[in-house]
Amino acid sequence: MTTISMAQLRDHVEAKKRDIGWVDDDASTDALRNKGANRSPEKRAFLARVDARAIAAGKKPTRSYY
């Protein structure tokens, strides 16, 4: 078994993205997101709480559809 650092893993993932032509921008990421059409009320409430906690901590909330 080989042990690698998180930096090595990040570099490996970035290289693979380049190899397959992955575009890592906001529009591409948003297109891959689950739009939440079948999301339960509990999951919608959970995502709302996550957003509220991020805002309270001064962080940008992750875009969620709920």
Side-chain angles (χ1 to χ4, degrees):
M1 184 166 100
T2 303
T3 302
I4 64 171
S5 70
M6 291 302 289
Q8 289 170 314
L9 176 62
R10 180 200 62 225
D11 294 343
H12 177 75
V13 169
E14 292 298 323
K16 287 293 184 180
K17 284 181 180 180
R18 282 191 303 277
D19 289 348
I20 64 171
W22 183 272
V23 177
D24 203 9
D25 62 4
D26 288 340
S28 297
T29 301
D30 190 53
L32 294 172
R33 280 206 168 86
N34 179 345
K35 301 298 184 199
N38 296 318
R39 211 164 261 158
S40 71
E42 294 83 6
K43 179 69 178 256
R44 292 175 195 275
F46 167 76
L47 291 172
R49 288 192 309 271
V50 169
D51 282 353
R53 289 182 69 178
I55 292 167
K59 306 283 184 181
K60 179 181 173 189
T62 302
R63 180 178 293 160
S64 301
Y65 295 96
Y66 57 89

